[in-house]
Amino acid sequence: MIKLAETILNGLALGSVYALIALGFVVIFKASGVMNFAHGSLLLFGGYVTARLHDTIGFLPAVLVGAALAAALAGLVQLLATRGLRGAEIHTLTILTIGIDVLLSTELNRRVGADFLSMGDPWGADVTQLGDITVADSRIASIAVAIVVISVFFAAFRWSRWGLSMRSAAADPEAASLMGIRLDRVRLIAWCVAGALAALAAVFLAAFPAAGLDRTTSQIALSAFPAAILGGMDSAVGALVGSLVIGLTAAMAAGYQSELSALGSGFSDVAPYLVMVLVLLVRPTGLFGSKELTRV
């Protein structure tokens, strides 16, 4: 029972980090229709900046600078994609993000090298006892920070002018443009928000019990991709629910790996994708995705 409780807590912590990443995928897709395959590189970039600066300016300022620079880089990618390929099809812009990911990841991998970079977080390897349950402080921090950040995101999405513009642009871009909504600005802000969320997620992906930030961190970030697909690529609520489902699935598969040995030693790696496929077979648009309607 204790092992089950610890596994669920770990799954919720992992799901909260995935939610930050999955929201980035979703907000970009809603704003511009682009599947951003450079998201993992943006995450690694934000984490790298934080890792390099925390000794000099402190942990929290380093996180803020990392998030700001990741947001700026994401905005630059959006400007290059839309200004350089104005009028191009959406799938062309999506393919462009693959090329940008290769360029960014190659340079960042060279800079990170083979070492693990410390993020300088204040939680370190500390753990907390909740009765008989032992949980890492970094896990608790990831859940708390994700709740605050995601709450702020949903509040802005629901009540701010940007959120209203974003929802209008996602529902009908042409009508939104005719109503005076500047789509370029809405999309630019969406990309910047996604970049900042990715940088924040990097802090917790590299925290204890992980050894630190390394070249594979961006690949781990792509584990959040099934969460966005599972929830529905155009649903922020779906991204949140999908992230919790994928996080719990990954934690349960890893925690009970020995009992699931008949399914293979790497089953925990494929379990989230298996869940995603099973859900998509029943609901092709994801749990909360919008169905495309055609009037005849």
Side-chain angles (χ1 to χ4, degrees):
M1 196 63 186
I2 294 175
K3 179 180 178 180
L4 176 62
E6 289 179 345
T7 303
I8 291 175
L9 273 176
N10 288 331
L12 291 175
L14 186 60
S16 66
V17 178
Y18 282 172
L20 297 174
I21 305 168
L23 277 177
F25 280 116
V26 168
V27 76
I28 288 176
F29 186 81
K30 281 181 73 72
S32 56
V34 175
M35 193 82 74
N36 179 26
F37 287 103
H39 207 55
S41 296
L42 294 173
L43 181 148
L44 184 59
F45 173 75
Y48 175 77
V49 172
T50 303
R52 288 303 185 195
L53 292 181
H54 74 82
D55 276 339
T56 306
I57 63 176
F59 172 70
L60 185 56
V63 171
L64 295 177
V65 172
L69 291 181
L73 181 58
L76 180 61
V77 170
Q78 193 273 340
L79 288 175
L80 290 174
T82 57
R83 302 286 172 83
L85 295 175
R86 186 175 291 277
E89 297 291 336
I90 292 298
H91 68 268
T92 304
L93 301 178
T94 298
I95 293 172
L96 177 66
T97 64
I98 297 176
I100 292 173
D101 179 64
V102 172
L103 293 174
L104 286 176
S105 61
T106 300
E107 176 60 19
L108 287 169
N109 288 343
R110 185 185 68 81
R111 289 179 177 274
V112 173
D115 299 328
F116 289 94
L117 303 181
S118 170
M119 303 299 287
D121 59 84
W123 311 289
D126 295 340
V127 297
T128 295
Q129 288 292 139
L130 302 174
D132 294 329
I133 301 172
T134 302
V135 57
D137 286 359
S138 59
R139 302 290 198 194
I140 299 174
S142 69
I143 295 174
V145 170
I147 289 174
V148 172
V149 172
I150 292 172
S151 298
V152 171
F153 173 85
F154 276 103
F157 195 69
R158 177 67 179 85
W159 288 296
S160 74
R161 177 172 296 183
W162 169 75
L164 178 60
S165 301
M166 178 84 178
R167 285 182 280 130
S168 302
D172 192 334
E174 186 175 350
S177 181
L178 291 174
M179 293 296 291
I181 294 175
R182 299 178 63 178
L183 297 182
D184 287 346
R185 178 180 294 182
V186 172
R187 290 164 180 164
L188 178 62
I189 295 175
W191 279 72
C192 291
V193 168
L197 290 175
L200 187 59
V203 174
F204 296 106
L205 283 178
F208 179 80
L213 188 83
D214 73 335
R215 291 181 293 184
T216 64
T217 302
S218 62
Q219 299 170 13
I220 297 173
L222 290 180
S223 299
F225 189 68
I229 298 293
L230 177 64
M233 280 302 295
D234 61 349
S235 172
V237 174
L240 179 59
V241 174
S243 297
L244 293 178
V245 171
I246 293 299
L248 287 170
T249 299
M252 296 292 280
Y256 292 91
Q257 181 67 62
S258 58
E259 288 82 353
L260 300 172
S261 58
L263 299 175
S265 58
F267 178 70
S268 60
D269 295 330
V270 301
Y273 295 92
L274 179 61
V275 171
M276 180 189 73
V277 170
L278 292 176
V279 171
L280 291 183
L281 286 175
V282 180
R283 291 184 62 87
T285 58
L287 294 174
F288 294 86
S290 301
K291 294 181 179 179
E292 186 174 349
L293 300 178
T294 302
R295 182 173 296 174
V296 296

